[in-house]
Amino acid sequence: MTICIIHESGTFWTNDFNGEGQTVNDAVNAIESGASVRVWWFVAHGQRYSEDMWFDPEHLIAVRTESDD
C-alpha cells in the first residue's frame, strides 16, 4: 500500500521501510519514534528522488493512503 506523508517540508510517498510493508499507523509510529523512512518524491519537472529520511513529528501534517478519500 502506498502511503503519503504530508509534512511541512513537503509531500513524500512510501510503501516499504526496513524491508517490510507498512500501514498508516506503522508510518506514524516510525516518524514519532525517530526511525528513518524510505520515501520518494517528485520535483516540478517530473524527476523522481528517493532516500531514507527522518521527519520531525511536530511538523507532521498528515499521513494517509489513496483509499482515505
Side-chain angles (χ1 to χ4, degrees), residues 5-65:
I5 299 170
I6 304 168
H7 193 266
E8 284 183 7
S9 63
T11 301
F12 306 89
W13 289 267
T14 185
N15 63 354
D16 187 48
F17 69 99
N18 298 329
E20 300 176 12
Q22 67 180 359
T23 66
V24 169
N25 287 337
D26 293 335
V28 170
N29 290 339
I31 291 167
E32 289 179 347
S33 71
S36 67
V37 179
R38 186 79 178 159
V39 296
W40 72 86
W41 68 97
F42 299 93
V43 293
H45 62 276
Q47 185 171 356
R48 178 180 166 166
Y49 291 91
S50 179
E51 68 180 287
D52 288 340
M53 294 184 72
W54 288 270
F55 294 95
D56 183 346
E58 292 182 17
H59 299 281
L60 187 64
I61 297 169
V63 178
R64 53 183 296 137
T65 69

Side-chain angles (χ1 to χ4, degrees), residues 1 3-4 24 63-69:
M1 171 185 331
I3 295 175
C4 179
V24 169
V63 178
R64 53 183 296 137
T65 69
E66 295 170 349
S67 62
D68 289 341
D69 291 331

